[in-house]
């Protein structure tokens, strides 16, 4: 049968997900907000490999490409608390590739856990060789140097760029869009708004192309940038859309025209906490028991809450938020969440009730 996604099925892919990630409705949060907006989450944080997250969708295609080229080592780059680095390490462990990650200090945040807890701890536990390079180093150039060293040792390395948002990695969210559309068809409901965080722009570009290929209204997408100013993110997203459509032999301007990015949640910079993020992470944790992350989904969810509270998303809407993962990042920002919540009980108090 002819599907709009036939061209996607011809591209090499390594299976790292177990099946579709669930869509869940947030009833308690809806009643706390009291705005008559239905809120759902697509649980892309809920995958069995390496604690899960959106980067695994990209890695299905990056690893597929690496294996198709006969590579046996994988070198990639990211910020210190990169989720992409952690999931690359996990995917390499699963597939039996050697993994090296080059981590650059992209964020001016210096809490205690930032350099060695959270994702950094897990990168090492998952067997990756971690290279922490000093500020100002060209991480990708360093990755290519490491690849040359690996070649001299007899490996065949594959080099993937920052955050996995190469034109190949971004195919993961074209596939993600197809999955989401199948779920909408099954539920008999199309979401009016689809809200997501955007950083290196691969998630957004992939979803936009996937929805456009299926004539499923990419105009529904609303991204909150957490990395670059709006103009930079717009340009990057449209460039990636162009590359994706060339690979998929799909010609249309719909996806590029539909790109909508809000920079209202960026705050001071990438990875720098905001009050709105902290409130969003707490509210989600305490009304739904779900864990957002401080760098991406926490800021984007703050944007969604803002838009619902201020009526930019009107009553009667049915929203889907893409929960992209990144929970290990909470441990790198301990002091942001710890401060005023714990009631310290003295040891004498502990025995009072007995
Ligand atoms: C990387 C990442 C994003 C952003 O995805 P891009 O494709 O880089 O825009 C969002 N959320 C989490 C948890 C991520 O790790």
């Amino acid at each position: 049968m002819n599907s709009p996604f036939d061209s996607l099925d011809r591209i090499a892919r390594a299976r790292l997900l177990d099946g579709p990630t669930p869509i869940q409705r947030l009833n308690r949060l809806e009643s706390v907000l009291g705005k008559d907006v239905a809120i759902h989450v697509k649980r892309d944080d809920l995958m069995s490999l390496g604690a899960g997250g959106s980067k695994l969708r990209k890695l299905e295609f990056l690893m597929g490409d690496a294996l198709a080229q006969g590579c046996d080592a994988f070198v990639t780059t990211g910020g210190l608390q990169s989720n992409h680095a952690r999931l690359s390490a996990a995917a390499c462990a699963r597939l039996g590739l050697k993994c090296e990650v080059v981590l650059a200090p992209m964020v001016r945040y210096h809490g205690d856990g930032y350099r060695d807890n959270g994702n950094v701890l897990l990168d090492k536990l998952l067997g990756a060789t971690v290279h922490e390079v000093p500020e100002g180093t060209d991480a990708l150039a360093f990755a290519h140097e490491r690849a040359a060293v690996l070649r001299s040792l007899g490996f065949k390395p594959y080099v993937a760029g920052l955050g996995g948002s190469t034109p190949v990695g971004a195919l993961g969210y074209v596939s993600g869009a197809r999955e989401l559309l199948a779920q909408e068809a099954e539920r008999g409901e199309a979401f009016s708004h689809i809200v997501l965080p955007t950083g290196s722009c691969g998630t957004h570009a992939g979803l936009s192309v996937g929805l456009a290929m299926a004539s499923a209204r990419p105009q529904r997408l609303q991204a909150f940038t957490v990395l670059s100013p709006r103009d930079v993110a717009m340009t990057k997203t449209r460039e990636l859309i162009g590359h994706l459509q060339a690979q998929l032999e799909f010609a249309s301007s719909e996806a590029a025209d539909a790109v909508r990015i809000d920079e209202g949640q960026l705050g001071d910079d990438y990875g720098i906490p905001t009050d709105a993020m902290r409130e969003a992470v707490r509210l989600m944790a305490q009304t739904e028991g779900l864990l957002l992350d401080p760098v991406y989904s926490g800021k984007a969810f703050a944007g969604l809450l803002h838009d619902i509270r201020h009526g930019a998303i009107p009553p009667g809407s049915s929203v889907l938020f893409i929960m992209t993962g990144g929970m290990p990042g909470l441990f790198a920002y301990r002091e942001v969440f710890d401060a005023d919540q714990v009631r310290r009980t003295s040891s004498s108090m502990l025995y009072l009730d007995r």
Side-chain angles (χ1 to χ4, degrees):
M1 219 174 65
N2 251 16
S3 133
F5 295 105
D6 283 348
S7 55
L8 182 66
D9 288 330
R10 288 194 286 272
I11 297 174
R13 176 174 179 185
R15 296 283 164 173
L16 299 172
L17 275 64
D18 310 300
T21 59
I23 291 178
Q24 297 166 342
R25 186 157 177 185
L26 307 183
N27 292 299
R28 287 244 309 137
L29 179 65
E30 283 176 22
S31 60
V32 167
L33 293 175
K35 292 289 189 186
D36 188 29
V37 171
I39 309 171
H40 307 77
V41 281
K42 181 151 173 68
R43 296 290 310 276
D44 276 7
D45 61 317
L46 198 60
M47 299 171 183
S48 70
L49 190 63
S54 54
K55 297 303 187 305
L56 227 35
R57 291 196 187 275
K58 301 177 183 178
L59 283 161
E60 286 202 323
F61 287 88
L62 291 167
M63 292 290 166
D65 194 26
L67 294 176
Q69 293 180 32
C71 295
D72 56 8
F74 191 85
V75 186
T76 193
T77 68
L80 264 180
Q81 284 294 334
S82 167
N83 296 306
H84 167 68
R86 165 184 38 103
L87 289 165
S88 295
C92 285
R94 164 73 61 88
L95 298 169
L97 276 72
K98 181 174 175 54
C99 186
E100 298 213 355
V101 299
V102 180
L103 303 181
M106 287 172 61
V107 177
R108 274 169 232 281
Y109 181 82
H110 303 290
D112 335 325
Y114 195 81
R115 276 190 64 185
D116 50 17
N117 205 342
N119 284 304
V120 183
L121 176 74
L122 298 179
D123 293 344
K124 294 175 187 165
L125 180 62
L126 291 162
T129 303
V130 175
H131 303 276
E132 189 185 328
V133 297
E135 195 167 347
T137 311
D138 180 341
L140 191 57
F142 190 91
H144 282 287
E145 283 172 32
R146 285 304 306 165
V149 172
L150 288 171
R151 240 174 258 119
S152 73
L153 296 171
F155 286 97
K156 188 164 184 216
Y158 183 92
V159 178
L162 180 76
S165 279
T166 61
V168 171
L171 290 165
Y173 268 92
V174 178
S175 175
R178 168 163 59 177
E179 179 181 309
L180 191 168
L181 290 169
Q183 288 173 311
E184 283 191 335
E186 209 169 281
R187 300 165 65 91
E189 179 199 9
F191 299 104
S192 59
H193 300 72
I194 301 171
V195 176
L196 69 150
T198 188
S200 60
C201 307
T203 306
H204 191 190
L207 284 174
S208 193
V209 169
L211 294 184
M213 286 171 80
S215 309
R217 291 193 300 119
Q219 297 78 7
R220 296 186 280 165
L221 293 167
Q222 169 69 61
F224 287 91
T225 178
V226 302
L227 175 62
S228 313
R230 181 174 170 279
D231 290 353
V232 176
M234 292 283 287
T235 305
K236 174 95 202 281
T237 307
R238 288 186 170 139
E239 258 172 40
L240 267 175
I241 286 172
H243 287 301
L244 281 171
Q245 292 190 170
Q247 286 175 92
L248 293 165
E249 296 166 24
F250 173 67
S252 157
S253 63
E254 198 186 6
D257 291 344
V259 174
R260 274 198 300 155
I261 300 173
D262 186 322
E263 66 181 2
Q265 299 299 324
L266 179 55
D268 287 340
D269 206 346
Y270 174 65
I272 303 299
T274 60
D275 289 342
M277 176 281 288
R278 198 185 340 222
E279 193 252 344
V281 171
R282 283 219 177 105
L283 184 63
M284 185 71 136
Q286 295 173 14
T287 58
E288 294 289 346
L290 298 182
L291 297 170
L292 294 165
D293 83 285
V295 177
Y296 296 95
S297 57
K299 284 186 176 176
F301 204 74
L304 171 60
L305 291 173
H306 175 276
D307 283 1
I308 292 175
R309 285 169 173 152
H310 293 81
I313 294 180
S317 302
S318 181
V319 179
L320 181 69
F321 180 77
I322 312 288
M323 240 180 114
T324 46
M327 190 274 268
L330 289 172
F331 300 105
Y333 287 86
R334 184 178 62 75
E335 44 288 283
V336 174
F337 300 99
D338 200 16
D340 49 29
Q341 286 247 313
V342 182
R343 253 188 259 152
R344 297 200 191 278
T345 311
S346 73
S347 56
S348 61
M349 291 280 288
L350 280 172
Y351 296 98
L352 268 182
D353 291 339
R354 298 209 174 164

